[in-house]
Amino acid sequence: MYQRLRNLREDRDLNQAAVAEILHVSQTTYSRYESGVLDVPSASLIALARYYGTSVDYLLGLTDNPTPYHK
């Protein structure tokens, strides 16, 4: 999961501070999410999935299909 978060961020040429701002957390906190030191809260996972246009299952590594689910 943590590598996926980093890959998605880097694919969009974002730094950790930019993603941290989206999640309303510090850059240090986001860095800890990416490194696996801290668990990512479910609200943040949902926000990241919406921002990146994917599913939470993809972020968590439960599927390799990045296409989001339909509502």
Side-chain angles (χ1 to χ4, degrees):
M1 169 178 103
Y2 309 109
Q3 188 62 44
R4 280 214 172 142
L5 292 177
R6 182 177 179 167
N7 290 344
L8 286 166
R9 177 180 58 77
E10 289 178 345
D11 287 349
R12 285 157 182 80
D13 294 323
L14 298 169
N15 59 32
Q16 289 181 342
V19 179
E21 188 173 316
I22 292 164
L23 298 177
H24 307 289
V25 298
S26 70
Q27 181 274 328
T28 302
T29 297
Y30 183 75
S31 174
R32 290 176 179 159
Y33 292 164
E34 270 193 15
S35 66
V37 172
L38 285 177
D39 286 332
V40 183
S42 56
S44 293
L45 284 171
I46 292 167
L48 288 168
R50 286 182 177 154
Y51 180 78
Y52 291 130
T54 191
S55 68
V56 172
D57 282 354
Y58 179 75
L59 295 178
L60 293 173
L62 297 175
T63 182
D64 290 328
N65 183 355
T67 305
Y69 301 112
H70 298 295
K71 290 183 180 182

XYZ file of all heavy atoms in Angstrom:
570
model
N 0.818 -1.185 0.000
C 0.000 0.000 0.000
C 0.869 1.260 0.000
O 0.601 2.197 -0.730
C -0.911 -0.004 1.221
C -1.613 1.325 1.430
S -2.723 1.346 2.803
C -1.770 2.228 3.980
N 1.900 1.264 0.811
C 2.688 2.478 0.981
C 3.410 2.868 -0.308
O 3.490 4.045 -0.643
C 3.663 2.304 2.142
C 2.948 1.801 3.384
C 3.136 0.507 3.849
C 2.034 2.618 4.033
C 2.450 0.047 4.964
C 1.351 2.171 5.148
C 1.552 0.871 5.605
O 0.861 0.429 6.694
N 3.885 1.866 -1.037
C 4.541 2.149 -2.318
C 3.533 2.706 -3.322
O 3.864 3.579 -4.114
C 5.209 0.878 -2.864
C 6.061 1.137 -4.090
C 7.229 2.074 -3.812
O 7.911 1.943 -2.815
N 7.454 3.020 -4.702
N 2.297 2.229 -3.263
C 1.263 2.757 -4.168
C 1.004 4.226 -3.885
O 0.828 5.019 -4.813
C -0.034 1.969 -4.017
C 0.014 0.684 -4.767
C -1.317 0.293 -5.330
N -1.048 -0.860 -6.168
C -1.813 -1.899 -6.285
N -2.961 -1.941 -5.659
N -1.473 -2.899 -7.059
N 0.940 4.582 -2.622
C 0.725 5.994 -2.286
C 1.847 6.849 -2.857
O 1.596 7.905 -3.448
C 0.657 6.178 -0.771
C -0.540 5.586 -0.046
C -0.404 5.790 1.451
C -1.825 6.187 -0.558
N 3.056 6.377 -2.694
C 4.206 7.127 -3.211
C 4.175 7.194 -4.736
O 4.398 8.250 -5.326
C 5.500 6.476 -2.734
C 6.721 7.229 -3.181
C 7.977 6.616 -2.647
N 9.116 7.378 -3.129
C 10.327 7.265 -2.674
N 10.582 6.427 -1.693
N 11.289 7.979 -3.164
N 3.894 6.063 -5.382
C 3.860 6.043 -6.844
C 2.792 6.978 -7.400
O 3.047 7.706 -8.368
C 3.631 4.624 -7.354
C 4.819 3.715 -7.132
O 5.927 4.171 -6.869
N 4.591 2.422 -7.215
N 1.605 6.949 -6.815
C 0.538 7.836 -7.282
C 0.937 9.299 -7.123
O 0.708 10.121 -8.008
C -0.762 7.557 -6.518
C -1.490 6.274 -6.911
C -2.546 5.928 -5.864
C -2.108 6.417 -8.292
N 1.546 9.613 -5.999
C 1.989 10.989 -5.755
C 3.048 11.402 -6.757
O 2.962 12.463 -7.386
C 2.529 11.112 -4.320
C 3.080 12.490 -3.991
C 3.594 12.563 -2.573
N 4.632 11.627 -2.241
C 5.914 11.745 -2.601
N 6.318 12.766 -3.329
N 6.800 10.838 -2.217
N 4.043 10.559 -6.935
C 5.150 10.893 -7.841
C 4.694 10.938 -9.301
O 5.199 11.755 -10.077
C 6.288 9.906 -7.667
C 7.009 10.079 -6.339
C 8.121 9.081 -6.113
O 8.195 8.054 -6.829
O 8.944 9.332 -5.203
N 3.750 10.078 -9.684
C 3.234 10.091 -11.053
C 2.572 11.423 -11.399
O 2.480 11.795 -12.563
C 2.228 8.963 -11.273
C 2.890 7.593 -11.344
O 4.134 7.525 -11.439
O 2.153 6.583 -11.275
N 2.106 12.123 -10.380
C 1.462 13.420 -10.582
C 2.404 14.583 -10.258
O 1.973 15.721 -10.153
C 0.195 13.500 -9.750
C -0.906 12.662 -10.399
C -1.956 12.242 -9.408
N -2.968 11.405 -10.018
C -2.845 10.107 -10.262
N -1.730 9.478 -9.972
N -3.824 9.414 -10.804
N 3.675 14.261 -10.088
C 4.701 15.265 -9.788
C 4.353 16.115 -8.571
O 4.539 17.333 -8.563
C 4.962 16.169 -11.001
C 5.570 15.419 -12.157
O 6.398 14.515 -11.905
O 5.222 15.715 -13.316
N 3.827 15.445 -7.538
C 3.489 16.124 -6.290
C 4.544 15.809 -5.244
O 5.128 14.723 -5.244
C 2.127 15.651 -5.772
C 0.918 15.924 -6.657
C -0.298 15.172 -6.130
C 0.643 17.408 -6.722
N 4.767 16.751 -4.341
C 5.628 16.446 -3.205
C 4.739 16.078 -2.014
O 3.518 16.221 -2.065
C 6.579 17.612 -2.889
C 5.851 18.894 -2.575
O 4.757 18.889 -2.020
N 6.463 20.013 -2.915
N 5.366 15.578 -0.977
C 4.592 15.147 0.194
C 3.825 16.298 0.822
O 2.708 16.102 1.306
C 5.505 14.489 1.223
C 6.017 13.148 0.799
C 6.887 12.507 1.852
O 7.393 13.167 2.765
N 7.079 11.201 1.741
N 4.382 17.478 0.814
C 3.711 18.636 1.417
C 2.406 18.946 0.704
O 1.409 19.305 1.344
C 4.634 19.845 1.396
N 2.371 18.791 -0.621
C 1.153 19.071 -1.383
C 0.047 18.081 -1.025
O -1.114 18.468 -0.840
C 1.447 19.036 -2.875
N 0.395 16.807 -0.925
C -0.609 15.800 -0.567
C -1.029 15.979 0.886
O -2.216 15.845 1.220
C -0.088 14.373 -0.836
C -1.125 13.332 -0.435
C 0.284 14.209 -2.303
N -0.102 16.307 1.741
C -0.428 16.556 3.147
C -1.440 17.691 3.269
O -2.370 17.613 4.081
C 0.833 16.882 3.928
N -1.277 18.716 2.461
C -2.211 19.846 2.488
C -3.615 19.400 2.077
O -4.604 19.815 2.683
C -1.711 20.939 1.547
C -2.505 22.221 1.646
C -1.876 23.336 0.836
O -0.646 23.500 0.884
O -2.647 24.046 0.159
N -3.705 18.533 1.089
C -5.003 18.001 0.652
C -5.680 17.256 1.795
O -6.896 17.342 1.971
C -4.811 17.071 -0.567
C -4.370 17.890 -1.778
C -6.074 16.277 -0.881
C -3.783 17.068 -2.903
N -4.880 16.534 2.575
C -5.420 15.732 3.679
C -5.543 16.519 4.986
O -6.031 15.983 5.980
C -4.533 14.511 3.909
C -4.433 13.525 2.749
C -3.462 12.410 3.100
C -5.795 12.972 2.382
N -5.057 17.754 4.993
C -5.082 18.594 6.186
C -4.268 17.980 7.332
O -4.700 17.946 8.487
C -6.519 18.886 6.647
C -7.378 19.452 5.573
N -7.213 20.736 5.099
C -8.384 18.916 4.845
C -8.092 20.963 4.146
N -8.808 19.868 3.971
N -3.089 17.465 6.949
C -2.139 16.948 7.931
C -0.784 17.576 7.635
O -0.589 18.205 6.596
C -2.031 15.394 7.889
C -3.360 14.745 8.220
C -1.505 14.906 6.553
N 0.153 17.396 8.526
C 1.497 17.928 8.293
C 2.238 17.044 7.287
O 1.877 15.876 7.076
C 2.286 17.985 9.604
O 2.592 16.677 10.043
N 3.288 17.601 6.725
C 4.118 16.825 5.800
C 4.741 15.646 6.533
O 4.862 14.548 5.985
C 5.195 17.726 5.172
C 6.091 17.015 4.170
C 7.278 16.308 4.806
O 7.805 16.762 5.822
N 7.676 15.195 4.239
N 5.113 15.841 7.779
C 5.706 14.762 8.578
C 4.722 13.612 8.756
O 5.085 12.443 8.623
C 6.155 15.297 9.957
O 7.085 16.354 9.752
C 6.786 14.201 10.796
N 3.471 13.947 9.043
C 2.449 12.909 9.199
C 2.265 12.150 7.899
O 2.235 10.917 7.887
C 1.111 13.529 9.657
O 1.301 14.113 10.943
C 0.001 12.483 9.728
N 2.172 12.886 6.786
C 2.003 12.202 5.504
C 3.210 11.319 5.190
O 3.055 10.201 4.696
C 1.744 13.176 4.353
C 1.510 12.401 3.090
C 0.305 11.747 2.872
C 2.534 12.222 2.169
C 0.116 10.957 1.756
C 2.352 11.436 1.046
C 1.143 10.812 0.847
O 0.969 10.012 -0.255
N 4.394 11.806 5.492
C 5.600 11.011 5.278
C 5.523 9.701 6.064
O 5.910 8.639 5.565
C 6.837 11.801 5.710
O 7.993 11.019 5.643
N 4.996 9.766 7.251
C 4.840 8.563 8.083
C 3.787 7.627 7.504
O 3.893 6.410 7.659
C 4.518 8.952 9.520
C 5.706 9.593 10.209
C 5.381 10.062 11.595
N 6.576 10.654 12.199
C 6.548 11.495 13.200
N 5.396 11.841 13.762
N 7.667 12.001 13.674
N 2.755 8.179 6.850
C 1.792 7.328 6.143
C 2.507 6.555 5.042
O 2.344 5.350 4.903
C 0.673 8.152 5.492
C -0.305 8.840 6.408
C -1.124 9.845 5.906
C -0.445 8.508 7.749
C -2.045 10.500 6.707
C -1.348 9.158 8.556
C -2.157 10.149 8.033
O -3.073 10.800 8.824
N 3.283 7.271 4.228
C 3.968 6.640 3.089
C 5.002 5.616 3.526
O 5.232 4.636 2.824
C 4.660 7.696 2.213
C 3.806 8.226 1.129
C 4.588 9.019 0.094
O 5.836 8.958 0.036
O 3.927 9.740 -0.670
N 5.625 5.830 4.643
C 6.663 4.901 5.100
C 6.083 3.741 5.902
O 6.790 2.785 6.209
C 7.704 5.640 5.937
O 7.127 6.116 7.137
N 4.806 3.826 6.260
C 4.170 2.756 7.022
C 4.335 2.879 8.521
O 3.926 1.994 9.261
N 4.918 3.973 8.986
C 5.081 4.186 10.420
C 3.727 4.438 11.073
O 3.470 3.975 12.185
C 6.053 5.355 10.693
C 6.093 5.719 12.165
C 7.443 5.015 10.185
N 2.851 5.159 10.368
C 1.490 5.423 10.844
C 0.486 4.780 9.906
O 0.673 4.803 8.685
C 1.202 6.931 10.859
C 1.816 7.784 11.943
C 1.447 9.247 11.721
C 1.355 7.339 13.316
N -0.594 4.239 10.461
C -1.698 3.759 9.639
C -2.449 4.954 9.082
O -2.655 5.955 9.782
C -2.664 2.906 10.464
C -2.097 1.536 10.790
O -1.267 1.030 10.010
O -2.486 0.975 11.827
N -2.876 4.833 7.842
C -3.626 5.905 7.201
C -5.076 5.802 7.655
O -5.706 4.750 7.484
C -3.543 5.797 5.658
C -4.258 6.956 5.003
C -2.105 5.710 5.200
N -5.644 6.862 8.227
C -7.042 6.816 8.656
C -7.979 6.602 7.467
O -7.671 7.013 6.335
C -7.277 8.199 9.275
C -5.928 8.750 9.549
C -5.000 8.136 8.550
N -9.103 5.966 7.720
C -10.036 5.660 6.632
C -10.501 6.926 5.917
O -10.635 6.926 4.685
C -11.226 4.852 7.148
O -11.878 5.534 8.196
N -10.720 8.011 6.632
C -11.146 9.257 5.977
C -10.075 9.755 5.004
O -10.386 10.260 3.922
C -11.456 10.323 7.020
N -8.821 9.581 5.355
C -7.728 9.982 4.468
C -7.629 9.055 3.265
O -7.348 9.497 2.150
C -6.399 10.007 5.223
O -6.405 11.030 6.191
N -7.850 7.765 3.472
C -7.848 6.829 2.351
C -8.938 7.178 1.350
O -8.715 7.156 0.134
C -8.041 5.392 2.844
C -6.838 4.732 3.490
C -7.244 3.403 4.119
C -5.727 4.536 2.480
N -10.104 7.514 1.852
C -11.211 7.902 0.978
C -10.860 9.177 0.215
O -11.065 9.265 -0.997
C -12.510 8.063 1.792
C -12.972 6.702 2.318
C -13.606 8.732 0.957
C -14.044 6.775 3.378
N -10.290 10.143 0.917
C -9.901 11.400 0.270
C -8.846 11.157 -0.806
O -8.918 11.738 -1.900
C -9.387 12.394 1.310
N -7.875 10.307 -0.533
C -6.839 9.999 -1.514
C -7.416 9.264 -2.724
O -7.061 9.557 -3.867
C -5.728 9.165 -0.871
C -4.826 9.903 0.095
C -3.956 8.918 0.886
C -3.954 10.906 -0.641
N -8.305 8.317 -2.479
C -8.931 7.586 -3.585
C -9.712 8.543 -4.479
O -9.628 8.459 -5.712
C -9.838 6.480 -3.046
N -10.437 9.454 -3.883
C -11.189 10.440 -4.675
C -10.235 11.361 -5.426
O -10.454 11.652 -6.604
C -12.106 11.251 -3.769
C -13.300 10.465 -3.298
C -14.217 11.301 -2.452
N -15.398 10.519 -2.085
C -16.119 10.731 -1.015
N -15.804 11.710 -0.181
N -17.156 9.973 -0.759
N -9.196 11.819 -4.774
C -8.251 12.735 -5.403
C -7.555 12.072 -6.592
O -7.417 12.677 -7.653
C -7.222 13.216 -4.380
C -6.230 14.171 -4.975
C -6.575 15.503 -5.190
C -4.967 13.747 -5.359
C -5.678 16.393 -5.765
C -4.069 14.629 -5.925
C -4.421 15.947 -6.127
O -3.537 16.811 -6.707
N -7.116 10.828 -6.410
C -6.389 10.127 -7.462
C -7.311 9.432 -8.470
O -6.836 8.878 -9.460
C -5.432 9.098 -6.858
C -4.266 9.713 -6.123
C -3.938 9.310 -4.836
C -3.462 10.677 -6.713
C -2.852 9.849 -4.158
C -2.371 11.228 -6.043
C -2.076 10.805 -4.772
O -1.011 11.345 -4.113
N -8.621 9.428 -8.213
C -9.560 8.794 -9.136
C -9.432 7.283 -9.169
O -9.467 6.665 -10.231
N -9.282 6.698 -8.003
C -9.135 5.250 -7.900
C -10.015 4.753 -6.751
O -10.861 5.490 -6.255
C -7.648 4.870 -7.712
O -7.511 3.466 -7.866
C -7.084 5.324 -6.385
N -9.824 3.517 -6.333
C -10.600 2.972 -5.219
C -9.716 2.790 -3.993
O -8.485 2.677 -4.107
C -11.215 1.620 -5.606
O -10.206 0.641 -5.756
N -10.344 2.729 -2.852
C -9.612 2.446 -1.615
C -8.999 1.043 -1.704
O -7.876 0.827 -1.248
C -10.531 2.597 -0.384
C -9.842 2.107 0.879
C -10.966 4.043 -0.225
N -9.719 0.112 -2.326
C -9.172 -1.239 -2.492
C -7.856 -1.210 -3.266
O -6.920 -1.939 -2.942
C -10.165 -2.152 -3.218
C -11.280 -2.640 -2.320
O -11.246 -2.374 -1.106
O -12.202 -3.296 -2.841
N -7.757 -0.355 -4.273
C -6.513 -0.231 -5.025
C -5.402 0.331 -4.137
O -4.279 -0.179 -4.141
C -6.708 0.651 -6.253
C -5.441 0.825 -7.061
C -4.965 -0.204 -7.863
C -4.710 2.001 -6.993
C -3.779 -0.064 -8.578
C -3.535 2.159 -7.712
C -3.068 1.127 -8.501
O -1.900 1.264 -9.213
N -5.727 1.358 -3.371
C -4.733 1.940 -2.470
C -4.221 0.917 -1.466
O -3.038 0.889 -1.137
C -5.308 3.145 -1.723
C -5.691 4.361 -2.552
C -6.288 5.432 -1.658
C -4.511 4.900 -3.337
N -5.125 0.070 -0.986
C -4.763 -0.925 0.022
C -4.096 -2.163 -0.561
O -3.624 -3.031 0.176
C -6.004 -1.353 0.811
C -6.638 -0.289 1.690
C -7.955 -0.792 2.274
C -5.685 0.139 2.790
N -4.061 -2.260 -1.894
C -3.442 -3.410 -2.525
C -4.348 -4.622 -2.617
O -3.877 -5.734 -2.866
N -5.654 -4.426 -2.437
C -6.595 -5.547 -2.521
C -6.959 -5.876 -3.960
O -7.501 -6.946 -4.233
C -7.865 -5.231 -1.720
C -7.655 -5.032 -0.224
C -8.940 -4.600 0.442
C -7.119 -6.307 0.404
N -6.680 -4.946 -4.871
C -6.890 -5.158 -6.297
C -5.777 -4.442 -7.047
O -5.218 -3.466 -6.543
C -8.281 -4.647 -6.755
O -8.450 -4.923 -8.143
C -8.443 -3.152 -6.515
N -5.493 -4.942 -8.226
C -4.517 -4.269 -9.085
C -5.205 -3.402 -10.130
O -4.544 -2.808 -10.966
C -3.614 -5.299 -9.767
C -2.668 -5.961 -8.776
O -2.267 -5.293 -7.802
O -2.331 -7.143 -8.981
N -6.526 -3.354 -10.078
C -7.309 -2.550 -11.016
C -7.504 -1.166 -10.416
O -8.227 -1.004 -9.439
C -8.656 -3.220 -11.269
C -9.499 -2.472 -12.284
O -9.128 -1.399 -12.752
N -10.645 -3.047 -12.616
N -6.900 -0.134 -11.028
C -7.009 1.213 -10.460
C -8.345 1.918 -10.736
O -8.617 2.963 -10.178
C -5.864 1.974 -11.116
C -5.666 1.286 -12.412
C -5.996 -0.167 -12.163
N -9.186 1.302 -11.570
C -10.465 1.926 -11.912
C -11.366 1.980 -10.680
O -11.555 0.958 -10.007
C -11.167 1.113 -13.031
O -10.278 1.005 -14.133
C -12.451 1.802 -13.463
N -11.923 3.156 -10.393
C -12.802 3.264 -9.216
C -14.127 2.548 -9.445
O -14.533 2.317 -10.590
C -13.001 4.775 -9.065
C -12.806 5.316 -10.426
C -11.786 4.426 -11.096
N -14.780 2.214 -8.367
C -16.094 1.585 -8.437
C -17.144 2.622 -8.795
O -16.997 3.795 -8.466
C -16.462 0.942 -7.089
C -15.489 -0.106 -6.645
C -14.674 0.097 -5.541
C -15.368 -1.305 -7.336
C -13.776 -0.870 -5.133
C -14.466 -2.273 -6.931
C -13.670 -2.048 -5.825
O -12.779 -2.991 -5.434
N -18.202 2.162 -9.425
C -19.326 3.066 -9.730
C -20.246 3.142 -8.540
O -20.411 2.186 -7.795
C -20.093 2.559 -10.961
C -19.257 2.518 -12.183
N -18.742 3.645 -12.787
C -18.810 1.468 -12.941
C -18.036 3.307 -13.840
N -18.042 1.994 -13.957
N -20.849 4.307 -8.367
C -21.776 4.490 -7.233
C -23.109 3.870 -7.545
O -23.557 3.732 -8.610
C -21.955 5.974 -6.939
C -20.716 6.582 -6.359
C -20.963 8.008 -6.009
C -19.710 8.626 -5.417
N -19.899 9.980 -5.019
